[in-house]
Amino acid sequence: MRLSSVLSDAVLLKLFEVEPFMGSKKASWGTSKPVEVGTVTRQYYCKECNSVRPFISKKKLNCLVSGPDFISIDVVLKCLDCENTVENWFLLRCANDLFGQAPSVSIVYCNEHLGTSASSLGPNNEQMQDLLDRADLGRRVGLAAGSLIYLRKHFEITTHTAAAGANVPLTTSKGRRRPFAEILKDVDEMISIIPHEFSEDGYRLFSELSEVVHGDANEELALSKFDALRRLVVGVFENVKNNSEFTKAANDLGWNTKGNI
């Protein structure tokens, strides 16, 4: 395992054996050096993209030796789709030889500085309701694209947030964004987020949302499907929110069971 995987998961106090990254030459406390550990990837809600996005680091990170068993690592992560950045700081402890061939490390402390660029995992219940309100308004004034674009955004945010909670990757091994169909399929297989009535048509209905948004569908026909599409979107949200495996993630997101969605 590379150290980047340990930092990406950010599990505290769990010991992991990793590939050597400090080199064989000993370094005293206070020594700063660049280390190549692979790309760190963490998921945040990007406020510029208005959706859950992977934030990725450069492969070379800055490491400070804090003592014979401790190091600290600063990681700047950039949104995959825009210029927003966040900063993570990790304090790690090594249980054996930090400069050996198989160091065993654990994260003692992790601090995230998200600033105004991002928030943890996803938006709160109020923001999700706002997307539905905007969709309903668009429907009332007869704007198919104007209404369905908010339903699609709601569907994407919920699915990507569930993927982050289920450790389903949003990117390929080369750091490129995975197709939404693949992410939706993987998440649904793990926690069944598609409501039963749409179990065979979940992605097809999302495709219809996309066709309207891109102007490839009849407006009148699209509006006639609004109610069914809205039920799908809300059903996915409720399934993720109410899934017992995601209680902690839901709390982190600020989702509660009293929302008026």
Side-chain angles (χ1 to χ4, degrees), residues 115-166:
T116 59
S117 297
S119 58
S120 296
L121 281 189
N124 59 38
N125 197 59
E126 182 179 346
Q127 290 171 298
M128 299 300 275
Q129 181 64 47
D130 181 64
L131 291 173
L132 288 182
D133 290 344
R134 291 172 183 268
D136 291 340
L137 176 61
R139 189 267 182 92
R140 287 197 297 271
V141 298
L143 298 176
S147 61
L148 298 188
I149 190 171
Y150 291 111
L151 291 184
R152 188 180 75 156
K153 177 63 69 175
H154 195 293
F155 195 4
E156 287 178 334
I157 291 173
T158 303
T159 302
H160 286 163
T161 301

Side-chain angles (χ1 to χ4, degrees), residues 6-258:
V6 176
L7 300 181
S8 296
D9 293 339
V11 178
L12 295 180
L13 304 178
K14 185 175 180 179
L15 204 60
F16 296 94
E17 184 178 295
V18 297
E19 297 177 3
F21 61 93
M22 290 293 289
S24 58
K25 186 178 180 180
K26 302 288 184 177
S28 61
W29 69 272
T31 300
S32 179
K33 64 181 297 183
V35 292
E36 292 196 25
V37 300
T39 301
V40 178
T41 303
R42 305 199 68 196
Q43 314 292 342
Y44 293 104
Y45 180 81
C46 178
K47 295 181 179 179
E48 176 67 25
C49 298
N50 194 28
S51 189
V52 177
R53 287 288 185 264
F55 280 66
I56 61 175
S57 74
K58 294 183 176 180
K59 293 183 179 180
K60 186 174 290 186
L61 306 178
N62 186 51
C63 173
L64 176 68
V65 178
S66 303
D69 303 324
F70 288 92
I71 58 171
S72 65
I73 295 182
D74 285 318
V75 184
V76 177
L77 303 108
K78 177 180 172 297
C79 175
L80 187 64
D81 294 318
C82 75
E83 297 302 312
N84 274 359
T85 60
V86 300
E87 185 176 0
N88 286 185
W89 177 78
F90 299 91
L91 178 64
L92 296 98
R93 178 181 181 277
C94 183
N96 48 12
D97 184 3
L98 182 61
F99 300 90
Q101 290 301 304
S104 294
V105 300
S106 60
I107 299 175
V108 178
Y109 181 75
C110 172
N111 184 44
E112 301 173 313
H113 179 68
L114 307 182
T116 59
S117 297
S119 58
S120 296
L121 281 189
N124 59 38
N125 197 59
E126 182 179 346
Q127 290 171 298
M128 299 300 275
Q129 181 64 47
D130 181 64
L131 291 173
L132 288 182
D133 290 344
R134 291 172 183 268
D136 291 340
L137 176 61
R139 189 267 182 92
R140 287 197 297 271
V141 298
L143 298 176
S147 61
L148 298 188
I149 190 171
Y150 291 111
L151 291 184
R152 188 180 75 156
K153 177 63 69 175
H154 195 293
F155 195 4
E156 287 178 334
I157 291 173
T158 303
T159 302
H160 286 163
T161 301
N167 292 321
V168 171
L170 301 185
T171 58
T172 66
S173 58
K174 295 183 178 180
R176 297 174 181 171
R177 191 194 301 180
R178 295 181 65 205
F180 182 83
E182 292 182 5
I183 298 172
L184 177 61
K185 180 175 181 293
D186 289 351
V187 173
D188 191 49
E189 287 178 351
M190 291 186 68
I191 59 170
S192 300
I193 66 172
I194 301 296
H196 179 71
E197 64 176 305
F198 300 109
S199 59
E200 300 297 325
D201 301 307
Y203 186 72
R204 182 174 68 83
L205 288 173
F206 176 80
S207 297
E208 292 185 5
L209 286 171
S210 299
E211 288 175 7
V212 176
V213 170
H214 294 128
D216 297 328
N218 178 278
E219 289 261 320
E220 185 176 346
L221 178 61
L223 284 172
S224 71
K225 297 181 178 181
F226 179 89
D227 289 339
L229 293 169
R230 192 184 192 282
R231 286 201 306 275
L232 167 67
V233 167
V234 171
V236 170
F237 178 84
E238 291 294 337
N239 283 347
V240 171
K241 187 176 69 173
N242 295 329
N243 192 300
S244 61
E245 295 178 28
F246 283 83
T247 300
K248 183 180 183 302
N251 290 337
D252 290 343
L253 294 172
W255 292 356
N256 56 60
T257 57
K258 297 180 180 179

